[in-house]
Amino acid sequence: MRVSVYDTKRYDRRYFEASKAGKGAVEWVFHDFRLERSTASSAEGSTAVCVFVNDRVDADCLEILAEVGVKHVALRCAGYNNVDVAAAKERGIAVTRVPAYSPHAVAEHSVALLLTLNRKIHRAYNRVREQNFSLGGLVGFDLHGKAVGILGTGKIGRVAATIFRGFGCRVFAYDKHPDEEWASFAGVTYAPLENVLERVDILSLYLPLLKETHYLLDTKNLGRMKDGAFIINTSRGKLIDTRALIEALKQGKIGGVALDVYEEEEGVFFEDLSDTVLLDDELVRLMAFPNVLVTAHQAFLTHEALTQISAVTRENLLRLHAAEAPLAHTAVDPA
Ligand code: NAD
C-alpha cells in the first residue's frame, strides 16, 4: 500500500523505514510540507495519509482527500484537535491515532523544563562556555516541599505526578474524571480547579485541547494563581491565552513559564527559521523574558516514543488497508 506522510523530518523517515510492524509492505511517500487544503491533492495515488500535530485536516482538506481516493487518516500523535473527525466520517475516511506512545517521554520533558528554568541551567551553560563562572542571578528554589498542581491525570499527568512525589512535592490535581483510588495510592490530592490554581507553586498542564479546555489559563484563572507561581505546558498551546500570560509575566504575577507548545506554533515549531525574521510578535516577546523557556514541541522526541509511534501507525495502516479493525483504543470517532 502507498501512504503519503506529511510534515516529516529525518527522524520520522528513519523510524518509519525501520519499522517492521504489521503484515505487509508499505510504500512511504515522505513530504516535508504540511497537509492542508492547498496540498491535499498531493495524496493522489495513496490510500492513506499520515499526519502530525500541525497538519490541518479540516473539512475542505478531507473533501479533496476523499476525491483522490484516501480512505484513512493516520495521526502519528495522541492529540487529534487538528482533524475534523465528523467530516472524515461523513466522507467514509477512517481516523486513527497513537493514544499512548510514551507518557514518560512527555512527563520527563516537562520536569526537565521545570528544573532547567528553576535552576537556570540554560543560562549557566552559556556562561560557563564563555568562562564566566559567576553565580549572580542563578538563584533557584528547592522543589522539595513545594505544592505542584497537575491539570489532567491521564497517562502523562499520572507519570508526572509520580515524578513530583519523588522530589518530595505535595501534589494536587484536577481532572474531569478523578480516579480517587490512583490518587490515594500515588499520594495525590484531587481538588476543584480554582482550589488547585490558588494553592500551588508550580502548575503543569496535561490536558487535551477541547472546546472546554481552550484558554483554560486566561486572565481570570491566571489571576487566581499564587504570586510568583511557575507554569509548565507540554500539552497544547491553546490551553493558555498567550496575551494574558504575557501580561501576567510583565506584572510579575507569574514567576516562570516553560512551554513546549505555543498557540501559534504551526509553521514555526519544527522548522529552522534561523535565517528569517520572526513575524510573531507574541512569541518573540515570550522568548525575550528571562524567566520563560521555550522548546519547540519536542517532549515526545525519545527513541522509545518514536519506535512505538511508527510501529502502531504502520500496523494500523496495514490493518485498515486489509479491512481489519485497528488496534484497540486507536480509532478516533466523532464526539
Ligand atoms: P489522556 O487522554 O490520557 O489524559 C487526559 C486527561 O484529561 C484525562 O484524565 C481526562 O479525564 C482529562 N480531561 C479531559 N478533558 C478535561 C476537562 N475539560 N477538564 C478536566 N480534565 C479533563 O491524555 P495524555 O496521553 O495524558 O495526553 C495529554 C495531552 O498531552 C494530549 O491531549 C496532547 O495534547 C498532549 N501531548 C503533548 C505531547 C508533546 O510532545 N508536547 C506529546 C503527547 C501528548
Side-chain angles (χ1 to χ4, degrees):
M1 73 173 301
R2 193 160 180 238
V3 180
S4 291
V5 193
Y6 292 89
D7 203 9
T8 58
K9 306 289 177 226
R10 231 175 10 184
Y11 48 82
D12 295 308
R13 299 170 194 206
R14 179 148 37 96
Y15 280 87
F16 274 113
E17 279 167 346
S19 179
K20 300 276 175 272
K23 290 190 206 90
V26 178
E27 182 196 340
W28 302 108
V29 182
F30 294 114
H31 296 296
D32 51 13
F33 54 85
R34 277 173 284 132
L35 177 62
E36 54 185 30
R37 186 175 57 85
S38 65
T39 60
S41 59
S42 62
E44 181 140 28
S46 292
T47 49
V49 294
C50 177
V51 301
F52 196 48
V53 294
N54 289 324
D55 294 289
R56 201 179 304 156
V57 195
D58 55 17
D60 290 348
C61 177
L62 285 157
E63 186 71 52
I64 300 166
L65 293 180
E67 274 169 27
V68 301
V70 168
K71 302 270 181 265
H72 177 191
V73 173
L75 285 141
R76 56 180 192 280
C77 54
Y80 53 90
N81 50 285
N82 54 331
V83 177
D84 187 333
V85 182
K89 190 167 175 100
E90 273 169 31
R91 289 161 182 79
I93 297 178
V95 182
T96 58
R97 64 184 182 125
V98 187
Y101 36 87
S102 171
H104 304 281
V106 184
E108 288 172 13
H109 188 75
S110 63
V111 179
L113 283 175
L114 173 66
L115 290 171
T116 306
L117 182 67
N118 170 31
R119 302 305 298 267
K120 302 168 176 64
I121 305 296
H122 52 313
R123 299 178 67 187
Y125 173 81
N126 284 326
R127 272 190 204 181
V128 168
R129 280 173 71 87
E130 297 197 1
Q131 298 180 34
N132 173 356
F133 301 106
S134 68
L135 299 182
L138 300 185
V139 179
F141 57 81
D142 287 9
L143 285 185
H144 186 268
K146 293 293 178 298
V148 175
I150 300 282
L151 302 190
T153 53
K155 292 174 287 295
I156 300 171
R158 287 177 194 217
V159 174
T162 308
I163 297 173
F164 283 119
R165 289 291 294 142
F167 276 109
C169 298
R170 292 171 292 129
V171 177
F172 300 93
Y174 165 71
D175 195 293
K176 200 162 81 168
H177 304 290
D179 179 348
E180 291 292 353
E181 199 180 321
W182 164 77
S184 109
F185 173 76
V188 170
T189 307
Y190 277 110
L193 177 63
E194 292 73 21
N195 201 283
V196 173
L197 295 174
E198 283 160 12
R199 73 204 295 181
V200 300
D201 305 294
I202 297 148
L203 184 74
S204 200
L205 311 185
Y206 304 100
L207 289 166
L209 176 63
L210 304 166
K211 218 190 273 168
E212 68 259 32
T213 58
H214 183 267
Y215 281 2
L216 185 85
L217 290 191
D218 56 7
T219 304
K220 194 165 152 204
N221 277 339
L222 287 167
R224 290 189 158 117
M225 294 181 65
K226 266 189 180 174
D227 289 347
F230 274 41
I231 295 172
I232 315 163
N233 186 9
T234 52
S235 287
R236 283 292 180 268
K238 286 191 169 71
L239 296 175
I240 303 181
D241 176 349
T242 305
R243 287 183 186 199
L245 182 67
I246 289 173
E247 213 36 59
L249 279 158
K250 278 175 156 177
Q251 290 165 7
K253 169 76 188 167
I254 297 300
V257 176
L259 303 174
D260 186 51
V261 286
Y262 168 63
E263 61 169 312
E264 300 299 335
E265 68 181 58
E266 193 184 316
V268 178
F269 282 13
F270 308 118
E271 308 301 332
D272 178 0
L273 302 179
S274 50
D275 281 342
T276 61
V277 173
L278 205 48
L279 296 176
D280 183 333
D281 291 349
E282 280 165 12
L283 179 57
V284 174
R285 183 68 187 95
L286 270 180
M287 294 190 312
F289 286 105
N291 51 347
V292 173
L293 184 62
V294 178
T295 52
H297 210 134
Q298 76 176 75
F300 73 100
L301 203 66
T302 66
H303 168 71
E304 290 77 4
L306 290 170
T307 303
Q308 180 70 1
I309 287 169
S310 55
V312 170
T313 306
R314 190 179 196 279
E315 168 127 25
N316 268 344
L317 287 163
L318 289 163
R319 280 180 176 229
L320 268 71
H321 189 60
E324 291 170 13
L327 291 164
H329 312 301
T330 61
V332 183
D333 293 314

